[in-house]
Amino acid sequence: MTAAAWLFGVGGVILAGIGVFFIVLRPALLAEDLRFLGRSSSEIEQALPRLRRWLRRVFTVLGGHALAAGGLTVYVAATGVRDGRPAAVAALAVAGAASIGLMAAVNVRLRSAFRWLLLGVAGLWVAATVAAMWR
């Protein structure tokens, strides 16, 4: 197994883990969400009493997509990247930019508590892409 395949595989497992977090553990509103909205939790609850239930559903769907993307990443890493297929590397590079890259960028912009973790995962994706190009 190549270094790129391992790095993409680890990135895929982390992305799947983020998906599970969104499905199972993520609260509807985090501290940075309230900070961005400029409202307290009780103000939000009073103004929009069903918002938390709605966001729970939204994050379940988002989590399912992250879980699926992570699983597909692991599979492509273990097959196409391992076999040195440039198209597999290109597909994962684009998928990583669109998924974890955008997530990291938005979280940096929001000054999220998760921004450094997400930047680290995005960096892992970049490292995997670079490792694949140096193969």
Side-chain angles (χ1 to χ4, degrees):
M1 187 79 74
T2 67
W6 275 105
L7 291 169
F8 275 127
V10 169
V13 168
I14 293 170
L15 186 56
I18 291 170
V20 171
F21 169 77
F22 271 68
I23 293 167
V24 178
L25 298 174
R26 190 197 191 282
L29 292 168
L30 297 170
E32 59 253 27
D33 300 326
L34 296 171
R35 185 174 59 245
F36 179 81
L37 294 170
R39 299 287 184 262
S40 71
S41 183
S42 60
E43 287 175 308
I44 298 291
E45 189 63 37
Q46 190 159 26
L48 299 164
R50 297 175 63 189
L51 180 64
R52 288 183 193 278
R53 281 186 290 167
W54 169 252
L55 289 175
R56 185 71 249 129
R57 292 175 181 156
V58 169
F59 288 123
T60 298
V61 171
L62 179 61
H65 281 277
L67 182 57
L72 288 170
T73 297
V74 170
Y75 175 76
V76 173
T79 58
V81 175
R82 181 197 65 205
D83 294 342
R85 295 187 196 140
V89 173
L92 289 184
V94 169
S99 61
I100 199 67
L102 283 174
M103 188 183 294
V106 168
N107 276 267
V108 166
R109 180 90 169 105
L110 293 173
R111 295 185 328 255
S112 165
F114 297 99
R115 68 186 179 269
W116 300 114
L117 172 66
L118 294 170
L119 279 171
V121 178
L124 180 67
W125 227 275
V126 170
T129 303
V130 170
M133 293 184 335
W134 287 103
R135 183 172 186 233

